């Protein structure tokens, strides 16, 4: 048995744990798709499952991550990826204008 484990590359050995975890992810995604969609607080478009966003908003503060947006009642998770990119670009432009102005 030990010889067989030493023969297997570590990447292949990791699949023993990775494959069952992937099943859990697929079940979670299917449950999310069956429910309602989350709507972006910036543009109003759907972008993820409401269940996923609610889970992120509940779990991230428990592990020490605070993504609340200053001056707002919502979090960074409630903004779609396209609006996040736009927000970052606008913030960088403001910083650049302050540095040169």
């Amino acid at each position: 048995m030990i010889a067989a484990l030493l023969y297997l590359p570590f990447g292949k050995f990791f699949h023993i744990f990775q494959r069952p975890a992937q099943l859990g992810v697929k079940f979670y995604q299917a449950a999310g798709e069956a429910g309602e969609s989350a709507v972006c607080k910036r543009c109003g478009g759907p972008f993820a499952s409401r269940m996923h966003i609610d889970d992120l908003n509940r779990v991230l503060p428990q592990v020490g991550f605070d993504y609340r947006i200053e001056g707002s009642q919502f979090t960074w998770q409630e903004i779609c990826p396209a609006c996040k990119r736009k927000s970052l670009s606008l913030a960088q432009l403001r910083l650049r204008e302050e540095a040169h102005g």
Side-chain angles (χ1 to χ4, degrees):
M1 175 68 177
I2 293 173
L5 290 176
L6 292 174
Y7 176 74
L8 288 172
F10 181 74
K12 298 293 181 189
F13 183 67
F14 183 70
H15 285 261
I16 294 170
F17 306 103
Q18 184 183 19
R19 298 293 181 203
Q22 286 178 331
L23 285 174
V25 169
K26 292 296 181 189
F27 289 138
Y28 183 83
Q29 289 172 340
E33 289 174 2
E36 67 178 287
S37 292
V39 177
C40 177
K41 297 292 186 182
R42 188 169 186 261
C43 70
F47 69 99
S49 73
R50 170 59 35 208
M51 180 183 75
H52 183 78
I53 301 304
D54 290 343
D55 287 346
L56 284 172
N57 283 334
R58 187 180 67 252
V59 171
L60 287 174
Q62 292 175 1
V63 294
F65 292 99
D66 183 10
Y67 291 115
R68 287 177 293 187
I69 297 174
E70 190 174 319
S72 174
Q73 294 182 358
F74 55 91
T75 64
W76 192 242
Q77 289 79 16
E78 296 174 287
I79 300 175
C80 72
C83 288
K84 286 178 186 177
R85 288 190 296 272
K86 290 174 191 171
S87 296
L88 289 172
S89 297
L90 290 172
Q92 289 172 346
L93 272 173
R94 280 194 300 269
L95 287 174
R96 183 174 182 213
E97 288 172 358
E98 289 175 8
H100 294 303

